[in-house]
Amino acid sequence: MSFDVNAFMRQIPPMSELLSLPWVPSMEASLGRRAVKAVFSEVIGEFRTLFREGRISQISAEEIVREALARLTARSVPSVRRVVNGTGVVVHTNLGRSPLPREVMESVVDVSVGYSNLEFSLDEGVRGHRNDHVEWLICQLTGADGAVVVNNNAAAVLLSLAALASHGEVIVSRGELVEIGGSFRIPDILSFAGARLVEVGTTNRTHLSDYERALGEDTAMLLKVHPSNFRIEGFHCSVSRQELASLAASRGLIFLEDLGSGLLEAFDGDALSEEPTVRECLQQGVDLVTFSGDKLLGGPQIGVVAGRSQLTERLKKHPLMRAFRVDKMTLTAFEGILRMMLRGEDRMIPTREMISLSPDVMKRRASSLARRVRRVIREASVPGNASVLEVEDAVGGGAFPAVGLVGYGVALDLPSLGGASRVQGLFRRSDPPVVLGVDRGLPCIHVRTLLDGDDERFLRSLKRVLGVR
Ligand SMILES: *Cc1c(COP(=O)(O)O)cnc(C)c1O
């Protein structure tokens, strides 16, 4: 049968008819007429292709309308939404990493809806620098004498390499040539910055003599990368910071460490005690440390380079600085977080608080949530149960790779809804969306990562999933 365009076109309602459907005005109100038309055209185009390929022999106007309505409905609600993190992974990159304290966000709103002194010195009435709002605070918290902030830690590493090592050689241990996820790979970043990578040692063992042998005329820098998201166990060794620092100093080289997680103050207890603080790294002789603002620091997405001011001043003058500069909302939020750290209010920063929650507190919260879940299940008159489970949580964000945190969760046993992955899907698509973990085969909500009000959000979502009014 040949492709009969005319016969096909006759089955498609004209655009004017589609645009006079009763629900169109409300879609136009939220998306505009042009976008509504574009979606109709897109759907018609797709049906035309299916017809041309012989995969359908006819179409109904009804199908076109139904499909367009579904797409427009999905497009007319905000895309970035608040979700409940029930995974127990505190710094969850896919879920926006660190939730910010409300008091910090109030100053962000205030600064953003009005003008600000972002790059203006109120004392002198002349141009100022946005970096100046946070540099002193970072120095107080880390012992650095200079600091610059950029968009994220990836930018911090790239800027440091481009400004201080382009055209030169950078020596890195083979055990630290890592990929951090989302395509941040140390060798790629180095070559993009115009530096030549010199690999030393082996995956599991690198000695000081390996670094010494690799030194040459063109060596510009020693780079240490925190193996944030994995850990080598067994027969392995690496060179200490102090040894690398004295090697770098004796040859006039720069010693840069990509620390990733950005711990400013150690946590209580020994479980997390292996993670070095930024201050310790600098004390052990690292010239510059780079780290993220939204991992262990619990702030907004930002990258920091902290260390010797002689070097940070060179970073400030590099052209990439302009491309990587931090926006006013981020900078304001970051200043707020740094001030909380200075005041010793780190337990009021949600990320830090969630990491240090005690098992007792979580167990009590899980018990009370389980009771409320069982009540909803009874209300829905479906078979099922909810029980408290001891679970393994994680810091996430590439921090503390080997540390499983003991946590508690509420496992949902709802056989009428299907298997765990189906239940996870129902909760993701519910309102508000909830991201659940799976423990011992059951969908499970970990209480560690529940923020204020999240128990109620989860219960609302559960009611929708179970069809309770
Ligand atoms: C997380 C991480 C990065 C990337 O940091 P972003 O802030 O996400 O750009 C780079 N290096 C290490 C070691 C990390 O842990």
Side-chain angles (χ1 to χ4, degrees):
M1 196 183 79
S2 69
F3 172 60
D4 184 346
V5 186
N6 293 332
F8 174 78
M9 292 308 280
R10 276 195 298 277
Q11 297 172 1
I12 298 174
M15 187 61 84
S16 59
E17 203 173 292
L18 292 171
L19 289 175
S20 57
L21 287 163
W23 50 261
V24 163
S26 75
M27 289 300 168
E28 283 182 351
S30 69
L31 295 168
R33 193 173 185 85
R34 194 197 302 267
V36 173
K37 257 171 108 167
V39 169
F40 275 126
S41 305
E42 172 187 285
V43 173
I44 290 169
E46 286 174 21
F47 275 104
R48 187 181 294 143
T49 305
L50 288 175
F51 181 75
R52 191 176 293 145
E53 289 169 354
R55 295 203 274 162
I56 52 173
S57 54
Q58 57 173 29
I59 54 170
S60 66
E62 208 178 290
E63 266 180 290
I64 290 180
V65 169
R66 196 180 327 122
E67 183 57 31
L69 177 58
R71 287 186 200 185
L72 287 164
T73 305
R75 294 270 187 226
S76 62
V77 294
S79 180
V80 183
R81 301 165 66 190
R82 177 159 188 172
V83 309
V84 175
N85 176 6
T87 65
V89 178
V90 179
V91 181
H92 198 307
T93 299
N94 300 153
L95 302 183
R97 289 201 181 155
S98 286
L100 298 170
R102 199 164 282 279
E103 66 165 276
V104 162
M105 288 316 293
E106 275 157 18
S107 48
V108 174
V109 170
D110 203 37
V111 160
S112 309
V113 299
Y115 293 103
S116 66
N117 63 340
L118 182 64
E119 287 190 351
F120 186 64
S121 160
L122 292 173
D123 274 342
E124 295 161 36
V126 297
R127 187 178 193 283
H129 296 280
R130 57 184 76 203
N131 201 68
D132 293 349
H133 297 291
V134 291
E135 182 167 14
W136 185 83
L137 298 169
I138 297 168
C139 291
Q140 294 311 304
L141 286 161
T142 61
D145 53 19
V148 294
V149 289
V150 288
N151 260 317
N152 50 35
N153 185 35
V157 176
L158 180 55
L159 172 67
S160 306
L161 292 170
L164 307 172
S166 68
H167 312 301
E169 290 178 349
V170 175
I171 305 179
V172 190
S173 161
R174 287 198 172 89
E176 298 173 4
L177 287 175
V178 299
E179 171 177 315
I180 310 291
S183 77
F184 180 87
R185 287 179 158 187
I186 293 296
D188 297 345
I189 300 279
L190 269 159
S191 74
F192 193 71
R196 273 194 313 285
L197 168 64
V198 177
E199 305 175 21
V200 296
T202 60
T203 305
N204 59 333
R205 292 176 74 84
T206 303
H207 306 276
L208 186 62
S209 57
D210 293 322
Y211 284 91
E212 284 168 342
R213 268 200 303 276
L215 294 173
E217 292 252 300
D218 294 337
T219 310
M221 181 184 276
L222 306 185
L223 171 63
K224 185 172 176 61
V225 183
H226 192 59
S228 299
N229 48 8
F230 72 103
R231 152 129 5 150
I232 298 175
E233 306 248 348
F235 187 59
H236 74 99
C237 74
S238 58
V239 184
S240 73
R241 263 183 209 96
Q242 289 95 330
E243 287 175 295
L244 286 178
S246 57
L247 180 63
S250 71
R251 307 294 177 105
L253 305 172
I254 296 166
F255 180 18
L256 172 73
E257 177 162 6
D258 172 14
L259 198 54
S261 45
L263 184 63
L264 295 192
E265 290 292 337
F267 288 95
D268 302 336
D270 0 298
L272 311 183
S273 62
E274 277 176 43
E275 188 82 8
T277 62
V278 175
R279 187 185 294 277
E280 281 161 3
C281 293
L282 293 173
Q283 272 167 354
Q284 290 168 4
V286 181
D287 294 315
L288 287 178
V289 174
T290 73
F291 57 94
S292 301
D294 53 357
K295 290 183 178 172
L296 294 182
L297 189 43
Q301 180 194 301
I302 208 168
V304 181
V305 189
R308 287 174 39 206
S309 57
Q310 215 186 334
L311 299 172
T312 53
E313 289 307 312
R314 282 167 67 187
L315 301 185
K316 289 179 190 172
K317 296 193 188 88
H318 193 274
L320 274 179
M321 194 65 211
R322 175 64 178 77
F324 291 161
R325 74 180 188 188
V326 172
D327 151 81
K328 63 186 171 193
M329 293 186 270
T330 306
L331 195 67
T332 308
F334 194 53
E335 183 186 353
I337 292 288
L338 294 173
R339 289 189 181 280
M340 288 179 79
M341 290 299 293
L342 267 187
R343 292 196 297 264
E345 294 172 355
D346 38 322
R347 287 300 289 256
M348 288 159 72
I349 299 173
T351 294
R352 294 210 37 128
E353 195 204 349
M354 289 188 281
I355 290 171
S356 33
L357 275 177
S358 82
D360 284 348
V361 168
M362 287 182 284
K363 196 173 183 176
R364 275 199 298 277
R365 186 158 181 191
S367 308
S368 117
L369 184 58
R371 264 196 307 279
R372 296 173 75 183
V373 171
R374 283 192 290 268
R375 214 173 298 144
V376 175
I377 293 175
R378 273 198 306 276
E379 239 179 284
S381 327
V382 293
N385 200 0
S387 49
V388 174
L389 272 192
E390 187 182 305
V391 294
E392 188 171 293
D393 292 335
V395 174
F400 305 112
V403 180
L405 303 171
V406 174
Y408 284 89
V410 177
L412 306 175
D413 187 7
L414 295 164
S416 59
L417 297 183
S421 73
R422 180 159 190 278
V423 177
Q424 282 180 303
L426 293 172
F427 275 92
R428 279 199 314 273
R429 288 183 288 270
S430 182
D431 185 27
V434 179
V435 184
L436 296 173
V438 175
D439 292 87
R440 280 165 245 171
L442 291 174
C444 180
I445 180 161
H446 293 218
V447 298
R448 181 188 296 276
T449 42
L450 299 184
L451 298 158
D452 279 350
D454 274 353
D455 295 45
E456 288 69 29
R457 289 187 187 90
F458 165 68
L459 291 167
R460 252 190 286 144
S461 205
L462 174 70
K463 284 181 182 169
R464 276 180 194 261
V465 166
L466 295 179
V468 182
R469 42 129 219 123

